[in-house]
Amino acid sequence: MDTYDLRSCTEEDLRQVCQELGLKRFRALQLFQWVQQKAVRSWSEISNIGKEDRLALSSRLQLQPLERVKEQRSVDGTRKYLFRLADGELIECVLMDYAREQSRDRHTVCVSTQVGCAVGCAFCATGMEGLRRNLTAGEILGQVLDITRFIRQEDPDFQVTNVVFMGMGEPLLNYEQVLRAISLMNQERGLNIGMRRMTVSTSGVVPQIIQLARDNSQVGLAVSLHAADDETRNRLVPMNRRYPLAQLMEACREYTTITRRRITFEVALTADNANREQAEALVRLLKGQLGHVNLIPVNPVAGTGLERPDLEKLKRFAHSLEAGGISVSWREERGTDINAACGQLRRQWRVGNNESIGTI
Ligand code: SF4
């Protein structure tokens, strides 16, 4: 008989397994809640299912929690985790806490969706290593579950409120598993994270942008734009050579027509591109598009040669966009003291431990 990854299973999948094993139907819901709400890391913690039933279930369902290899805490409260998967691969995940006075606190987890990445953006440590493999839905969701479990040791009421798919990997190149993870995180009898509290970030995989609008119009979309002309964007985001700006903007228009939701356009600013010409080109490109621009001063990554622009340049850039009628926000700089930029921690750890860094 087939075995399954427990964390990738829906309640319906578990009902099917229970039926095949001749177990009571309500065991499926019990198990689902232990996995998704209580974030258990071993079968022995599941106290209201008898040993015999647990044994039968564990013969068909694999519970594979992530191993915490390293945790770094920033002075601003951001925590960065290096996790080891069951096959030994390493991924990164970040928790950002935003305390609010009036409403409940926001706890955002930035998850990885692939081990490594094939896109190779110029400013990204993950892209330097190429793609090793896709994550399963259970491994994507597992990052949220294991962080929840670790933080609950200090704060028993801790709940993740928001998830951004902006860690290692291009989420839309692992489309099926990402969509499954989103659906699992949204389950009322599970983590119950609202669709509108999840955001998928893409380097611009045009067919899947349109597919996402059709399959799930509630989840948020962020597009890593970074440049307003093909020549510059080809250099910064190589996905642009496959889907140039004209095709990308056409897909974005179709996305907003279907979903009626605004897109976040991410623009990483370096000392080189934070200039007036780029700002004016962005205004022309985004005129009439439902969305807003989020400016991100780049975290310096060794080996990329890119430098962070100074504050005056940033302000002038933001002002030029606003003057052109574009809504602008600044991404709060978080975790800069712990290398929170994607892929940095994994790369450093592997170099420090003499693991080879190769591309498959
Ligand atoms: S920024 Fe994202 S899409 Fe680009 S190389 Fe890094 S992980 Fe891949």
Side-chain angles (χ1 to χ4, degrees):
M1 275 205 263
D2 293 337
T3 57
Y4 305 101
D5 168 24
L6 178 51
R7 286 176 160 182
S8 292
C9 286
T10 62
E11 201 185 321
E12 184 51 43
D13 296 332
L14 297 181
R15 234 177 266 135
Q16 182 69 34
V17 172
C18 285
Q19 193 184 352
E20 287 168 17
L21 290 168
L23 302 180
K24 299 245 165 37
R25 197 179 153 82
F26 66 83
R27 289 282 182 237
L29 176 58
Q30 282 179 322
L31 186 54
F32 188 74
Q33 288 178 322
W34 277 103
V35 172
Q36 303 287 338
Q37 289 183 344
K38 299 201 173 79
V40 287
R41 288 173 55 82
S42 71
W43 285 95
S44 59
E45 294 172 57
I46 302 177
S47 56
N48 64 351
I49 299 181
K51 202 172 170 187
E52 218 170 282
D53 284 3
R54 264 187 281 152
L55 215 63
L57 287 164
S58 65
S59 70
R60 299 286 311 281
L61 299 160
Q62 292 182 315
L63 176 53
Q64 294 176 319
L66 306 175
E67 181 196 338
R68 180 170 40 177
V69 176
K70 196 166 178 176
E71 179 182 337
Q72 290 184 325
R73 297 186 190 195
S74 162
V75 287
D76 65 20
T78 300
R79 297 181 194 214
K80 183 159 191 171
Y81 295 87
L82 183 67
F83 287 130
R84 185 181 284 114
L85 306 171
D87 65 355
E89 292 287 2
L90 297 167
I91 54 165
E92 294 181 7
C93 187
V94 179
L95 168 70
M96 295 159 284
D97 280 334
Y98 303 85
R100 288 176 171 180
E101 284 171 12
Q102 300 295 326
S103 58
R104 68 176 178 156
D105 290 350
R106 186 154 55 106
H107 306 293
T108 302
V109 173
C110 174
V111 294
S112 291
T113 54
Q114 296 180 310
V115 182
C117 181
V119 179
C121 298
F123 43 80
C124 174
T126 301
M128 289 176 180
E129 297 181 30
L131 175 69
R132 293 177 69 85
R133 71 168 175 87
N134 282 332
L135 297 187
T136 65
E139 288 169 333
I140 298 168
L141 170 74
Q143 298 164 57
V144 179
L145 293 176
D146 285 322
I147 285 182
T148 299
R149 187 59 192 271
F150 297 144
I151 306 290
R152 279 188 190 159
Q153 288 164 355
E154 301 160 22
D155 172 6
D157 297 327
F158 177 83
Q159 293 277 7
V160 170
T161 59
N162 297 62
V163 177
V164 292
F165 294 75
M166 291 184 186
M168 297 168 63
E170 164 53 67
L172 295 187
L173 291 181
N174 186 14
Y175 188 77
E176 298 297 330
Q177 295 302 310
V178 166
L179 240 63
R180 189 177 176 88
I182 289 171
S183 166
L184 281 164
M185 289 180 202
N186 180 244
Q187 293 303 303
E188 219 178 309
R189 307 212 266 204
L191 286 165
N192 196 18
I193 300 171
M195 285 293 181
R196 285 176 176 252
R197 291 178 177 272
M198 292 188 260
T199 302
V200 173
S201 171
T202 181
S203 58
V205 191
V206 161
Q208 271 73 33
I209 288 175
I210 297 164
Q211 195 61 42
L212 182 67
R214 294 190 181 129
D215 290 342
N216 187 331
S217 60
Q218 294 298 303
V219 75
L221 179 69
V223 172
S224 300
L225 193 58
H226 303 317
D229 65 274
D230 281 323
E231 198 190 326
T232 314
R233 195 164 188 269
N234 282 346
R235 225 171 350 98
L236 293 176
V237 186
M239 183 62 74
N240 198 70
R241 292 180 205 144
R242 195 144 142 216
Y243 302 112
L245 277 167
Q247 281 185 44
L248 176 61
M249 296 317 294
E250 182 61 39
C252 288
R253 279 190 287 278
E254 195 167 340
Y255 176 91
T256 47
T257 304
I258 296 170
T259 64
R260 307 259 166 226
R261 299 204 63 195
R262 69 177 192 165
I263 296 172
T264 301
F265 292 97
E266 308 277 2
V267 176
L269 287 183
T270 66
D272 272 353
N273 73 355
N275 55 44
R276 197 171 162 170
E277 294 71 45
Q278 274 294 322
E280 286 171 357
L282 269 175
V283 169
R284 285 194 296 276
L285 186 76
L286 297 176
K287 206 90 200 169
Q289 168 69 46
L290 188 59
H292 82 284
V293 169
N294 189 26
L295 297 177
I296 314 156
V298 291
N299 275 329
V301 175
T304 62
L306 298 173
E307 282 176 38
R308 181 189 291 266
D310 63 45
L311 191 63
E312 275 315 304
K313 263 192 167 179
L314 276 170
K315 282 184 182 165
R316 278 202 298 275
F317 196 89
H319 182 73
S320 303
L321 292 185
E322 281 166 345
I326 306 284
S327 142
V328 183
S329 61
W330 292 47
R331 186 186 287 183
E332 247 179 90
E333 285 178 45
R334 301 191 68 90
T336 47
D337 54 330
I338 56 164
N339 294 316
C342 158
Q344 280 176 287
L345 182 60
R346 175 174 178 270
R347 191 174 169 82
Q348 279 178 356
W349 192 90
R350 295 183 74 198
V351 170
N353 288 276
N354 287 326
E355 280 193 33
S356 66
I357 296 179
T359 304
I360 289 178

